[in-house]
Amino acid sequence: MSVTDRVIRIIAEQAMIEPSDVALTDTMQDLGIDSMGLVECIFALEEEFDITVPFNANEPQASDFDISSVETVVAGVERLVARQKD
Amino acid sequence: MKRVVITGAGTVNALGLNVPDTLEAMREGRCGIGALKFRDVERLAIQIGAQVHEFDETAHFNRQQLSLYDRFTQFTLIAAREALAQAGLEFSGELAARSGVVLGNSGGGMTTLDENYRSVYEEGKNRVHPFVVPKLMNNAAASHVSMEFNLKGPSFTVSTACASSNHAMSQAFQMVHGGLAPVMITGGSESMLCFGGVKAWEGLRVMSKDACRPFSANRNGMVQGEGAGVFVFEEYEHARKRGAEMLAEVVGFAMTSDASDIVMPSKNGAARAIAGALHDAKLNPQDVGYINAHGTGTAANDKTECAAVADVFGAHADRLMISSTKSMHGHCIGGTGAIELLACIMALRDGVIAPTIGYEEPDPECALDVVPNEAREARVEVALSNAFAFGGLNAVLALRRV
């Protein structure tokens, strides 16, 4: 399963919808994921990929991890996974 | 001052997952104590407890809720749903704004703590679920009750070890009695039957390895239980106007501190609390027909409690009945007073006195009518509920038949 598919599976589970209903351009808000749900998503991504996501719930925008849409999250995870392999 | 009545009751404990089942078990003198079942139990010296089995949390809560509800919160919410369904109350507008929830609890989310300590210390993981803190905090149960039922008035958690529930219910009583709130949801819960929880208690060397036998000469310690008891305390006129069923009236309470020892009970502190509750309720000692004892089954508590009762009641001590239902549902710590209040309600409303089971040998230092082994029918006008906690903090409630 690709990184994109794995990220979508985690986000879909959090949003309690089918992975096929998640579009790459969707925002967390579009998917009905609130701030608590987002923190749970990030935890699940860390567990799935064994990465540490630099995310502070106090200033989500200032974090070096773009959560503005599903595709930015995928890109962020890919970058962290690549960095981990270095 | 306003009169306060109980218009709803709910529970989850080892005797039953609701009030009718629990009262039936108390009437039959059934024992909820058995072999503990959880991870690493074989490493414990104490392997018995009154654990809640056959409880399927997924039948009551969805996945998202379960990520936020420790077992003590789950018990509380189920008990609160039962109590509020019986009371038939819904909260909106002014009623919601003024009504609140005060619950007793001692250990907080002990299972959550235990599981997460295990994962970071034993399994070496460096990451825990993001909701560990909101799940384990002692006020989680009270907060979730406030959210589920839209209670926007005074809400908090009281933590006084084994007297937590009685202190909480005393606070709730005071709020309704004083006119601060028309309705208060109150009681308490506890769930510390996990490896770390029982291991800590084991260290104190006060736990029995075989049974809880309060007041019996061969008693050898307490047995821990788990569960919740939740009640609706309502202002009398408010309840009367809407035709609510009244289970019992709460007529008084008292709280005292021994100010002497962190674990050893004091006869004087207990006696002052019992006498204080009578005084607050404007009752004579002869009015009391039943006392639900703290009755832990330890050598120290039971003889101290009996001596305190003898001091306060004099000759009447030999005429009243006093039983410890901990022999059946175990010592549910911060939730125990709430679960035990059910026995007081059963005595007042149904005229059935729950027994002290496991009673085998009379103890001259506990020479009272402890209703040994079998429930008894009796008409009771007034009942007391005793709770004497570690730390020397005592709380006694007085209830009257309606």
Side-chain angles (χ1 to χ4, degrees):
Chain A
M1 209 191 266
S2 70
V3 169
T4 306
D5 288 343
R6 287 157 75 191
V7 170
I8 286 178
R9 184 176 50 78
I10 286 169
I11 292 175
E13 199 185 334
Q14 193 62 43
M16 292 189 276
I17 57 175
E18 288 301 314
S20 54
D21 294 333
V22 177
L24 283 169
T25 50
D26 282 338
T27 65
M28 295 299 144
Q29 205 177 355
D30 292 338
L31 297 166
I33 295 176
D34 63 7
S35 63
M36 293 271 275
L38 178 61
V39 174
E40 263 202 298
C41 258
I42 286 172
F43 168 72
L45 292 170
E46 290 185 327
E47 291 281 286
E48 172 77 15
F49 295 99
D50 195 22
I51 53 176
T52 300
V53 176
F55 175 80
N56 183 336
N58 296 293
E59 331 175 71
Q61 274 66 43
S63 307
D64 183 24
F65 187 82
D66 188 352
I67 46 121
S68 48
S69 70
V70 174
E71 60 190 340
T72 65
V73 171
V74 171
V77 169
E78 280 174 337
R79 199 166 51 243
L80 289 166
V81 170
R83 202 180 298 164
Q84 182 196 41
K85 285 180 185 148
D86 291 344
Chain B
M1 297 294 251
K2 314 272 191 197
R3 291 174 65 187
V4 182
V5 290
I6 302 176
T7 55
T11 190
V12 172
N13 67 84
L15 295 177
L17 304 182
N18 55 52
V19 172
D21 287 356
T22 300
L23 295 184
E24 185 189 297
M26 286 183 178
R27 271 197 300 272
E28 292 180 2
R30 222 179 289 149
C31 185
I33 296 166
L36 289 171
K37 288 178 198 151
F38 49 71
R39 190 172 161 186
D40 293 334
V41 70
E42 64 284 355
R43 287 179 55 207
L44 293 167
I46 303 300
Q47 300 190 358
I48 60 163
Q51 199 172 4
V52 176
H53 298 295
E54 292 156 24
F55 170 73
D56 177 15
E57 61 273 24
T58 59
H60 303 278
F61 307 109
N62 65 34
R63 193 193 56 143
Q64 195 62 29
Q65 290 172 316
L66 288 172
S67 74
L68 281 163
Y69 300 170
D70 180 271
R71 198 166 159 87
F72 89 98
T73 299
Q74 296 170 23
F75 290 161
T76 308
L77 284 168
I78 292 168
R81 288 173 185 177
E82 185 185 7
L84 279 152
Q86 180 174 33
L89 276 168
E90 281 185 22
F91 297 89
S92 62
E94 173 77 359
L95 182 65
R98 294 182 58 219
S99 303
V101 47
V102 180
L103 295 174
N105 171 258
S106 180
M110 194 72 104
T111 317
T112 300
L113 258 184
D114 205 46
E115 281 167 3
N116 285 282
Y117 277 160
R118 181 181 272 125
S119 116
V120 293
Y121 293 144
E122 184 179 321
E123 290 158 11
K125 283 191 68 172
N126 280 328
R127 191 180 294 129
V128 297
H129 191 276
F131 300 164
V132 172
V133 168
K135 199 172 172 181
L136 66 78
M137 60 194 194
N138 293 55
N139 61 313
S143 296
H144 286 297
V145 170
S146 79
M147 288 183 261
E148 183 160 329
F149 299 100
N150 195 34
L151 299 155
K152 297 180 172 175
S155 296
F156 53 95
T157 295
V158 176
S159 187
T160 51
C162 316
S164 301
S165 283
N166 273 22
H167 275 109
M169 294 188 291
S170 297
Q171 279 285 287
F173 165 69
Q174 212 171 8
M175 285 177 176
V176 179
H177 193 46
L180 184 66
V183 178
M184 290 296 292
I185 308 308
T186 188
S189 72
E190 198 71 67
S191 174
M192 48 170 88
L193 294 179
C194 56
F195 178 74
V198 176
K199 184 54 88 180
W201 276 98
E202 200 177 284
L204 207 54
R205 318 263 166 167
V206 294
M207 307 281 282
S208 170
K209 288 182 184 176
D210 49 19
C212 177
R213 300 183 199 89
F215 308 119
S216 190
N218 62 343
R219 66 187 179 275
N220 60 1
M222 54 176 273
V223 174
Q224 206 173 134
E226 63 175 353
V230 176
F231 301 91
V232 178
F233 280 17
E234 185 170 355
E235 195 267 307
Y236 175 82
E237 285 301 326
H238 191 273
R240 192 186 58 80
K241 276 183 202 148
R242 62 185 195 88
E245 186 195 354
M246 302 176 189
L247 309 180
E249 180 173 358
V250 188
V251 286
F253 78 99
M255 312 177 190
T256 63
S257 315
D258 298 344
S260 63
D261 191 277
I262 196 69
V263 291
M264 282 306 287
S266 135
K267 181 182 82 165
N268 188 256
R272 285 194 300 120
I274 297 168
L278 295 178
H279 181 259
D280 185 53
K282 300 183 177 66
L283 293 167
N284 295 312
Q286 308 83 267
D287 298 332
V288 178
Y290 172 64
I291 300 176
N292 184 283
H294 190 55
T296 55
T298 61
N301 174 82
D302 295 1
K303 68 177 181 194
T304 308
E305 183 167 12
C306 288
V309 168
D311 266 17
V312 174
F313 291 93
H316 185 66
D318 294 328
R319 288 190 287 271
L320 56 76
M321 293 167 281
I322 174 168
S323 70
S324 169
T325 50
K326 286 188 178 76
S327 54
M328 295 181 271
H329 54 64
H331 191 334
C332 303
I333 316 293
T336 211
I339 293 166
E340 289 161 28
L341 201 73
L342 293 169
C344 292
I345 290 173
M346 183 167 79
L348 297 168
R349 185 192 59 178
D350 306 335
V352 176
I353 311 299
T356 303
I357 68 163
Y359 187 84
E360 293 173 348
E361 268 178 56
D363 177 354
E365 290 196 279
C366 304
L368 298 174
D369 178 2
V370 299
V371 196
N373 301 319
E374 280 182 26
R376 199 181 298 165
E377 286 187 10
R379 187 182 164 97
V380 169
E381 293 300 322
V382 172
L384 301 184
S385 174
N386 285 350
F388 310 127
F390 272 180
L393 310 182
N394 314 304
V396 175
L397 283 159
L399 275 69
R400 190 201 292 273
R401 200 163 68 85
V402 279

Short mmCIF file of all heavy atoms in Angstrom, two decimals, chain A residues 39-72:
data_model
loop_
_atom_site.label_atom_id
_atom_site.label_comp_id
_atom_site.label_asym_id
_atom_site.label_seq_id
_atom_site.Cartn_x
_atom_site.Cartn_y
_atom_site.Cartn_z
N VAL A 39 -5.49 15.75 16.33
CA VAL A 39 -4.41 15.28 17.18
C VAL A 39 -4.37 13.76 17.19
O VAL A 39 -3.30 13.14 17.16
CB VAL A 39 -4.58 15.85 18.62
CG1 VAL A 39 -3.55 15.24 19.57
CG2 VAL A 39 -4.44 17.36 18.61
N GLU A 40 -5.54 13.14 17.17
CA GLU A 40 -5.58 11.67 17.11
C GLU A 40 -5.04 11.15 15.79
O GLU A 40 -4.34 10.15 15.73
CB GLU A 40 -7.03 11.18 17.28
CG GLU A 40 -7.38 10.77 18.68
CD GLU A 40 -8.58 9.82 18.72
OE1 GLU A 40 -9.65 10.26 18.29
OE2 GLU A 40 -8.42 8.67 19.17
N CYS A 41 -5.35 11.88 14.69
CA CYS A 41 -4.83 11.52 13.36
C CYS A 41 -3.31 11.55 13.35
O CYS A 41 -2.67 10.66 12.82
CB CYS A 41 -5.28 12.58 12.35
SG CYS A 41 -6.64 12.06 11.34
N ILE A 42 -2.78 12.61 13.93
CA ILE A 42 -1.32 12.76 13.93
C ILE A 42 -0.68 11.64 14.74
O ILE A 42 0.33 11.06 14.33
CB ILE A 42 -0.94 14.17 14.43
CG1 ILE A 42 -1.26 15.15 13.29
CG2 ILE A 42 0.52 14.25 14.85
CD1 ILE A 42 -1.14 16.59 13.63
N PHE A 43 -1.31 11.30 15.86
CA PHE A 43 -0.82 10.17 16.67
C PHE A 43 -0.83 8.88 15.84
O PHE A 43 0.14 8.13 15.81
CB PHE A 43 -1.69 10.03 17.91
CG PHE A 43 -1.49 8.75 18.67
CD1 PHE A 43 -0.33 8.53 19.41
CD2 PHE A 43 -2.45 7.75 18.66
CE1 PHE A 43 -0.13 7.35 20.11
CE2 PHE A 43 -2.26 6.56 19.35
CZ PHE A 43 -1.11 6.36 20.09
N ALA A 44 -1.92 8.66 15.12
CA ALA A 44 -2.05 7.43 14.32
C ALA A 44 -1.01 7.40 13.19
O ALA A 44 -0.44 6.36 12.87
CB ALA A 44 -3.46 7.32 13.75
N LEU A 45 -0.74 8.57 12.59
CA LEU A 45 0.28 8.64 11.54
C LEU A 45 1.66 8.33 12.12
O LEU A 45 2.47 7.61 11.52
CB LEU A 45 0.29 10.04 10.89
CG LEU A 45 -0.95 10.39 10.06
CD1 LEU A 45 -0.93 11.88 9.69
CD2 LEU A 45 -1.01 9.54 8.79
N GLU A 46 1.93 8.86 13.30
CA GLU A 46 3.23 8.59 13.95
C GLU A 46 3.40 7.11 14.22
O GLU A 46 4.48 6.54 14.03
CB GLU A 46 3.33 9.39 15.26
CG GLU A 46 3.46 10.89 15.04
CD GLU A 46 3.68 11.67 16.34
OE1 GLU A 46 3.13 11.25 17.38
OE2 GLU A 46 4.38 12.68 16.31
N GLU A 47 2.31 6.48 14.69
CA GLU A 47 2.37 5.04 14.98
C GLU A 47 2.56 4.24 13.69
O GLU A 47 3.35 3.31 13.64
CB GLU A 47 1.07 4.60 15.68
CG GLU A 47 0.91 5.13 17.09
CD GLU A 47 1.73 4.34 18.11
OE1 GLU A 47 1.35 3.21 18.44
OE2 GLU A 47 2.77 4.88 18.55
N GLU A 48 1.81 4.61 12.65
CA GLU A 48 1.83 3.86 11.39
C GLU A 48 3.20 3.91 10.72
O GLU A 48 3.70 2.91 10.24
CB GLU A 48 0.75 4.44 10.46
CG GLU A 48 0.75 3.90 9.04
CD GLU A 48 0.13 2.52 8.90
OE1 GLU A 48 -0.55 2.08 9.84
OE2 GLU A 48 0.37 1.88 7.85
N PHE A 49 3.78 5.11 10.69
CA PHE A 49 5.03 5.28 9.93
C PHE A 49 6.27 5.36 10.82
O PHE A 49 7.38 5.54 10.33
CB PHE A 49 4.94 6.55 9.07
CG PHE A 49 3.88 6.47 8.00
CD1 PHE A 49 2.63 7.05 8.19
CD2 PHE A 49 4.11 5.78 6.81
CE1 PHE A 49 1.64 6.96 7.22
CE2 PHE A 49 3.13 5.69 5.83
CZ PHE A 49 1.89 6.28 6.03
N ASP A 50 6.08 5.27 12.11
CA ASP A 50 7.16 5.40 13.08
C ASP A 50 7.95 6.70 12.85
O ASP A 50 9.17 6.70 12.69
CB ASP A 50 8.10 4.18 13.04
CG ASP A 50 8.99 4.15 14.27
OD1 ASP A 50 8.63 4.77 15.30
OD2 ASP A 50 10.07 3.52 14.21
N ILE A 51 7.21 7.78 12.78
CA ILE A 51 7.81 9.10 12.59
C ILE A 51 7.40 10.00 13.74
O ILE A 51 6.52 9.64 14.53
CB ILE A 51 7.33 9.75 11.26
CG1 ILE A 51 5.79 9.76 11.22
CG2 ILE A 51 7.93 9.04 10.06
CD1 ILE A 51 5.18 10.46 10.02
N THR A 52 8.05 11.15 13.88
CA THR A 52 7.62 12.14 14.85
C THR A 52 7.18 13.37 14.08
O THR A 52 7.98 13.98 13.37
CB THR A 52 8.76 12.48 15.82
OG1 THR A 52 9.13 11.28 16.49
CG2 THR A 52 8.32 13.51 16.85
N VAL A 53 5.91 13.69 14.19
CA VAL A 53 5.37 14.81 13.43
C VAL A 53 5.53 16.10 14.25
O VAL A 53 5.04 16.17 15.38
CB VAL A 53 3.87 14.58 13.10
CG1 VAL A 53 3.27 15.79 12.41
CG2 VAL A 53 3.71 13.33 12.25
N PRO A 54 6.21 17.09 13.69
CA PRO A 54 6.38 18.34 14.43
C PRO A 54 5.09 19.16 14.39
O PRO A 54 4.88 19.98 13.51
CB PRO A 54 7.51 19.05 13.68
CG PRO A 54 7.41 18.53 12.29
CD PRO A 54 6.83 17.15 12.37
N PHE A 55 4.20 18.89 15.35
CA PHE A 55 2.90 19.56 15.34
C PHE A 55 2.57 20.03 16.74
O PHE A 55 2.58 19.26 17.69
CB PHE A 55 1.82 18.59 14.85
CG PHE A 55 0.43 19.16 14.92
CD1 PHE A 55 -0.04 20.03 13.93
CD2 PHE A 55 -0.40 18.86 16.00
CE1 PHE A 55 -1.31 20.56 14.01
CE2 PHE A 55 -1.67 19.39 16.07
CZ PHE A 55 -2.14 20.24 15.09
N ASN A 56 2.30 21.32 16.89
CA ASN A 56 1.89 21.87 18.18
C ASN A 56 0.46 22.39 18.03
O ASN A 56 0.20 23.29 17.23
CB ASN A 56 2.85 23.00 18.58
CG ASN A 56 2.50 23.56 19.96
OD1 ASN A 56 1.36 23.46 20.43
ND2 ASN A 56 3.49 24.15 20.62
N ALA A 57 -0.44 21.80 18.80
CA ALA A 57 -1.86 22.15 18.67
C ALA A 57 -2.13 23.62 19.02
O ALA A 57 -3.17 24.15 18.68
CB ALA A 57 -2.71 21.24 19.55
N ASN A 58 -1.18 24.27 19.72
CA ASN A 58 -1.37 25.68 20.05
C ASN A 58 -1.24 26.57 18.83
O ASN A 58 -1.91 27.60 18.72
CB ASN A 58 -0.32 26.14 21.07
CG ASN A 58 -0.46 25.41 22.37
OD1 ASN A 58 -1.44 25.59 23.07
ND2 ASN A 58 0.50 24.55 22.67
N GLU A 59 -0.34 26.19 17.91
CA GLU A 59 -0.15 26.98 16.70
C GLU A 59 0.00 26.04 15.51
O GLU A 59 1.10 25.87 14.98
CB GLU A 59 1.12 27.84 16.77
CG GLU A 59 1.59 28.30 18.10
CD GLU A 59 2.94 29.03 17.96
OE1 GLU A 59 2.91 30.15 17.42
OE2 GLU A 59 3.99 28.48 18.35
N PRO A 60 -1.11 25.45 15.07
CA PRO A 60 -1.03 24.50 13.96
C PRO A 60 -0.38 25.10 12.72
O PRO A 60 0.36 24.44 12.00
CB PRO A 60 -2.50 24.15 13.69
CG PRO A 60 -3.22 24.49 14.94
CD PRO A 60 -2.48 25.64 15.55
N GLN A 61 -0.64 26.39 12.47
CA GLN A 61 -0.10 27.01 11.26
C GLN A 61 1.41 27.18 11.31
O GLN A 61 2.09 27.18 10.29
CB GLN A 61 -0.76 28.38 11.00
CG GLN A 61 -2.07 28.28 10.22
CD GLN A 61 -3.17 27.57 11.00
OE1 GLN A 61 -3.35 27.82 12.18
NE2 GLN A 61 -3.88 26.66 10.34
N ALA A 62 1.94 27.35 12.53
CA ALA A 62 3.38 27.61 12.67
C ALA A 62 4.20 26.33 12.61
O ALA A 62 5.42 26.38 12.47
CB ALA A 62 3.64 28.33 13.99
N SER A 63 3.52 25.18 12.69
CA SER A 63 4.27 23.93 12.69
C SER A 63 4.87 23.67 11.32
O SER A 63 4.34 24.10 10.30
CB SER A 63 3.34 22.77 13.05
OG SER A 63 2.66 23.03 14.24
N ASP A 64 5.98 22.93 11.32
CA ASP A 64 6.64 22.59 10.07
C ASP A 64 5.97 21.34 9.48
O ASP A 64 6.64 20.39 9.11
CB ASP A 64 8.13 22.35 10.36
CG ASP A 64 8.90 22.08 9.07
OD1 ASP A 64 8.42 22.50 8.00
OD2 ASP A 64 9.96 21.42 9.14
N PHE A 65 4.63 21.35 9.49
CA PHE A 65 3.90 20.21 8.96
C PHE A 65 2.55 20.76 8.51
O PHE A 65 1.75 21.21 9.32
CB PHE A 65 3.71 19.15 10.07
CG PHE A 65 3.11 17.86 9.58
CD1 PHE A 65 3.90 16.90 8.96
CD2 PHE A 65 1.75 17.62 9.71
CE1 PHE A 65 3.34 15.71 8.51
CE2 PHE A 65 1.19 16.44 9.26
CZ PHE A 65 2.00 15.48 8.66
N ASP A 66 2.34 20.76 7.22
CA ASP A 66 1.17 21.43 6.64
C ASP A 66 -0.06 20.52 6.69
O ASP A 66 -0.09 19.49 6.03
CB ASP A 66 1.52 21.82 5.19
CG ASP A 66 0.44 22.70 4.58
OD1 ASP A 66 -0.64 22.86 5.21
OD2 ASP A 66 0.67 23.21 3.48
N ILE A 67 -1.05 20.93 7.48
CA ILE A 67 -2.25 20.09 7.62
C ILE A 67 -3.44 20.70 6.87
O ILE A 67 -4.58 20.38 7.16
CB ILE A 67 -2.60 19.90 9.11
CG1 ILE A 67 -2.55 21.25 9.86
CG2 ILE A 67 -1.68 18.94 9.80
CD1 ILE A 67 -3.83 21.63 10.49
N SER A 68 -3.15 21.58 5.91
CA SER A 68 -4.27 22.28 5.28
C SER A 68 -5.13 21.38 4.39
O SER A 68 -6.29 21.68 4.17
CB SER A 68 -3.79 23.53 4.54
OG SER A 68 -2.68 23.23 3.74
N SER A 69 -4.58 20.28 3.89
CA SER A 69 -5.42 19.36 3.13
C SER A 69 -4.83 17.95 3.21
O SER A 69 -3.72 17.76 3.72
CB SER A 69 -5.49 19.78 1.65
OG SER A 69 -4.23 19.54 1.04
N VAL A 70 -5.57 16.98 2.69
CA VAL A 70 -5.09 15.59 2.71
C VAL A 70 -3.76 15.49 1.96
O VAL A 70 -2.82 14.85 2.42
CB VAL A 70 -6.15 14.64 2.10
CG1 VAL A 70 -5.60 13.23 2.00
CG2 VAL A 70 -7.43 14.68 2.93
N GLU A 71 -3.66 16.20 0.80
CA GLU A 71 -2.42 16.02 0.03
C GLU A 71 -1.21 16.66 0.70
O GLU A 71 -0.10 16.15 0.59
CB GLU A 71 -2.57 16.48 -1.43
CG GLU A 71 -2.94 17.92 -1.65
CD GLU A 71 -3.30 18.17 -3.14
OE1 GLU A 71 -2.91 17.35 -3.99
OE2 GLU A 71 -3.99 19.17 -3.41
N THR A 72 -1.41 17.77 1.44
CA THR A 72 -0.25 18.35 2.14
C THR A 72 0.18 17.44 3.28
O THR A 72 1.36 17.35 3.60
CB THR A 72 -0.56 19.77 2.70
OG1 THR A 72 -1.56 19.67 3.71
CG2 THR A 72 -0.99 20.72 1.61
#
